[in-house]
Amino acid sequence: KLIIKDLWFEKVPVRIYQPKPPSASQRRGVMFFHGGGWVLGSLETHDNLCRFIARESESVVVSVGYRLAPEHKYPAAYEDCLNTTEHFLSNTEHFGVDPARVIVCGDSAGGNLAAAVSQTLAGRSDLPRLRAQILIYPVLQALDFNLPSYQQNQRVPLLFRKDAAFYVLQYLNGNAINMEDLLAGSHIPVDIKLNYSKWLSPDNIPEKFKGRGYKPHVLLNCTTEVFEKTKRFCEPTLCPLLAEDKIIQQLPEAFILTCEYDVLRDDGLLYKKRLEDNGVRVTWYHLEDGFHGIVSLFEFCGLSFPSGKRALDNIANFLKSL
């Protein structure tokens, strides 16, 4: 049912999934950025997932094989995703895609890249506006690794709390030397943290998510030497939750998937609140029994989880509504 081609956009490998049956009108286009902590993952690991999205939503899906850390540090992955999206937005007619219906989508680190690309393109008048962003348990900040979900799910597979810190440091610095500082919260000065607390605070997370042994975390200070290595975490292209309101207000509508048993759950909840507070429409889907990585495990080595399939069906339905 699909025609699949491997191409290059702006020196970046992409795989394009096009539904075979001819379409009377132009199709939707989905730019897909895979997860894997910016370190793992490829066009292959997310092939089943992209096939499913293309088939079920009858959309053209472009999966992006962006450069990986630690060999290629931030902002390499972000730049590859941005450049391929700009290329696609400028060439939609070659793929039978409606330029007004292009969506960015990604899981985990890919959700981070999709959010960052959405923010960068929000203010651009030279390209068609993105229609929507689909963020599947996205990583959206690296200032606070002691949010309720980080405490509650610190040893829940497939993403342990310490792994989340490890990956984001690999992406930023190509090493994980400051991992203990990140976990303790002593990698960003208190005044800077307080500056962002209006957006990044447990107070913005609904009470019902604060059980299961959560304890408020004491703010620790940070040495200049450590901050030198971690200050780029304050850049919204790395941590999209920290973007200014004027950028957030211009964003396209969002679909955000969160899982109860996931250290990244609260990143999604905090971003949902920021978008809604700024008048951006959000479709939120929460898997009460979900864990990190459940969606990319779709038909992976014969595994499949019913709740992962439910999430995918919801994503396909959201796409069909656009």
Side-chain angles (χ1 to χ4, degrees):
K1 279 191 176 167
L2 296 171
I3 300 164
I4 299 173
K5 295 188 197 110
D6 285 340
L7 297 175
W8 294 81
F9 285 1
E10 308 294 327
K11 301 186 183 152
V12 181
V14 297
R15 181 168 294 170
I16 301 186
Y17 303 79
Q18 285 176 290
K20 246 188 201 144
S23 168
S25 57
Q26 292 177 307
R27 296 189 188 278
R28 264 174 249 96
V30 179
M31 294 296 300
F32 183 85
F33 312 133
H34 67 77
W38 306 278
V39 172
L40 310 164
S42 66
L43 298 177
E44 301 305 332
T45 56
H46 287 62
D47 185 67
N48 279 341
L49 184 53
C50 290
R51 286 172 189 259
F52 178 90
I53 294 171
R55 205 172 53 232
E56 297 301 316
S57 71
E58 298 179 348
S59 305
V60 174
V61 174
V62 180
S63 181
V64 179
Y66 57 84
R67 288 170 292 167
L68 297 176
E71 295 75 17
H72 301 282
K73 295 186 292 214
Y74 166 78
Y78 157 74
E79 286 174 347
D80 287 355
C81 293
L82 178 63
N83 293 339
T84 50
T85 304
E86 290 174 348
H87 178 92
F88 188 64
L89 284 167
S90 310
N91 293 281
T92 48
E93 71 283 0
H94 298 318
F95 304 99
V97 165
D98 177 354
R101 288 198 301 159
V102 175
I103 298 101
V104 288
C105 172
D107 64 312
S108 192
N112 166 282
L113 296 164
V117 167
S118 290
Q119 291 182 359
T120 305
L121 294 176
R124 292 272 296 267
S125 52
D126 57 325
L127 286 168
R129 187 178 146 74
L130 288 173
R131 178 65 184 84
Q133 48 182 328
I134 297 176
L135 312 177
I136 303 169
Y137 36 72
V139 191
L140 297 166
Q141 60 86 29
L143 267 54
D144 190 346
F145 289 84
N146 291 284
L147 291 167
S149 60
Y150 266 111
Q151 292 187 26
Q152 294 159 344
N153 303 311
Q154 55 182 318
R155 291 186 192 84
V156 177
L158 301 170
L159 184 66
F160 290 8
R161 175 171 170 263
K162 62 179 192 332
D163 296 337
F166 173 83
Y167 286 133
V168 75
L169 279 168
Q170 292 283 342
Y171 180 38
L172 177 65
N173 291 330
N175 62 55
I177 291 165
N178 299 104
M179 195 158 116
E180 292 309 316
D181 300 298
L182 261 67
L183 294 172
S186 59
H187 63 301
I188 302 285
V190 170
D191 55 332
I192 293 182
K193 269 195 211 135
L194 290 171
N195 196 21
Y196 288 122
S197 63
K198 57 184 182 292
W199 304 328
L200 177 53
S201 156
D203 299 346
N204 292 340
I205 293 164
E207 281 307 310
K208 67 171 189 177
F209 293 106
K210 290 183 192 167
R212 294 204 277 128
Y214 165 65
K215 293 187 181 58
H217 185 69
V218 180
L219 285 180
L220 298 175
N221 224 330
C222 146
T223 65
T224 321
E225 180 194 10
V226 170
F227 185 51
E228 228 6 77
K229 297 204 180 72
T230 57
K231 63 181 180 206
R232 297 189 77 186
F233 283 144
C234 298
E235 295 178 13
T237 43
L238 182 54
C239 295
L241 184 65
L242 308 180
E244 292 298 328
D245 283 344
K246 61 178 191 295
I247 302 284
I248 300 282
Q249 284 155 10
Q250 300 179 57
L251 289 173
E253 71 173 284
F255 177 102
I256 298 177
L257 173 85
T258 51
C259 294
E260 182 58 35
Y261 299 99
D262 179 4
V263 289
L264 298 177
R265 178 196 72 203
D266 296 348
D267 283 26
L269 295 176
L270 289 168
Y271 203 52
K272 168 185 185 282
K273 182 178 185 331
R274 281 217 67 197
L275 293 173
E276 289 174 340
D277 288 352
N278 282 284
V280 177
R281 189 171 152 197
V282 178
T283 303
W284 174 51
Y285 190 70
H286 183 64
L287 288 179
E288 290 289 352
D289 54 350
F291 55 87
H292 190 81
I294 194 166
V295 172
S296 50
L297 284 176
F298 172 68
E299 289 182 358
F300 182 76
C301 302
L303 279 173
S304 222
F305 295 87
S307 55
K309 175 73 167 67
R310 279 205 313 280
L312 275 171
D313 289 338
N314 272 274
I315 291 166
N317 289 336
F318 174 75
L319 278 167
K320 285 191 261 195
S321 76
L322 301 173

